[in-house]
Amino acid sequence: MTLDDLRVFVAVCRTGSLSGVARDLSCTQSAVSQHIKRLERELGLSLLERHPRGVVPTQAGQLLQAAAAGGLGDIDQALRRLRDLVHGEAGSVRITTGATTVRHFMSDAIVAFRRRYPQVSLEFQTAYSSRSCFDALIAGGLDLAWITLGGPVRGIEQRPVVELPWVLAVHADDTLAAKSSITPADLAGIRLIGLPANTTSRSQLGAWLGETGISPASDTSVADWDTAILLAELGLGHAIVPDLPGWHGPGHPDLRLIPIPALPTLWTGWAVRRWDALSPLARAFADTVSHNCGSQLSRTGEEFGIA
């Protein structure tokens, strides 16, 4: 049993696909299978079950995955810390996050960080949900994840940074555009643009709508918040989205964002395996983003008269 055997096994459990892991590792599917078979021979147990849509760990596989994922993440993080000690301020910071996060929360911070640490490499890995960010952190090789905060996750520490109220995004000519705020009753009978599937934001919005007894119809589902905003601004539907500073101002002349005070706010921020194990460079980047987010929200509030 080798570390590579365990790494491949954990990756297969995470993706549910031998061929997908083979593509990620630039090797053959047969090579991936050999890693799994070596583990199964040594343990004398079957670790994976094959299904029409991929593979899932057996009960024995689940036990091994749970034990191996955390240990491998700790080892990989320690190895990266050792390399950073060798290279000093010429190391790297690896972040996983959603497709639109960098634009809305990190653009100014990236510029400031690169000016301070010009030799440091910033590496971004796109994820499509907070759950996939957590899986990537646990698997190792990544420093930070920017996520939408939800419930506790075993083996992950979460730190809130930005509180986002919800708004209804509509075209300027929409009948709701003149309202100062939206109540649950206003949502009855309208058709909503669905938020990205399998995301914390969609789950929290769905739970709130269920509690209010309102069941708006959905015209379509989109891959990210920016697409929902674009469709709303084009007059192709209504979107309930977190209020991001980048959507205010002259860049969106036909867009109206109306507060929904009854809907609990959404928090976004950092997730890591352990804050005290972060490299100095990763911690510096996290702090830079957090500081710039605070400044950005403050400027937006002053511009639009928000306390």
Side-chain angles (χ1 to χ4, degrees), residues 104 167 225-226 229 241-249 251-252 255 257:
H104 288 296
V167 293
W225 294 340
D226 279 343
I229 283 293
V241 291
D243 189 8
L244 302 185
W247 292 332
H248 293 269
H252 296 277
L255 180 67
L257 300 173

Side-chain angles (χ1 to χ4, degrees), residues 171-246:
H171 187 274
D173 292 335
D174 192 272
T175 56
L176 295 173
K179 295 183 71 69
S180 59
S181 64
I182 296 294
T183 68
D186 294 323
L187 301 176
I190 70 172
R191 303 187 67 84
L192 289 179
I193 299 165
L195 294 183
N198 302 318
T199 59
T200 303
S201 57
R202 180 165 179 156
S203 175
Q204 292 189 11
L205 175 59
W208 179 77
L209 289 172
E211 291 173 359
T212 63
I214 303 296
S215 300
S218 180
D219 283 318
T220 185
S221 182
V222 295
D224 54 63
W225 294 340
D226 279 343
T227 304
I229 283 293
L230 174 61
L231 295 179
E233 188 169 14
L234 291 173
L236 300 180
H238 303 79
I240 299 178
V241 291
D243 189 8
L244 302 185

Side-chain angles (χ1 to χ4, degrees), residues 20 29 43 83 89 100 110 117 132 144 146 186 198 249 279 282 291 304:
Q29 185 170 330
L43 296 171
R83 286 193 291 270
E89 293 189 356
T100 64
I110 289 172
Y117 302 101
S132 59
L144 299 156
W146 185 271
D186 294 323
N198 302 318
S279 70
H291 174 75
F304 291 93

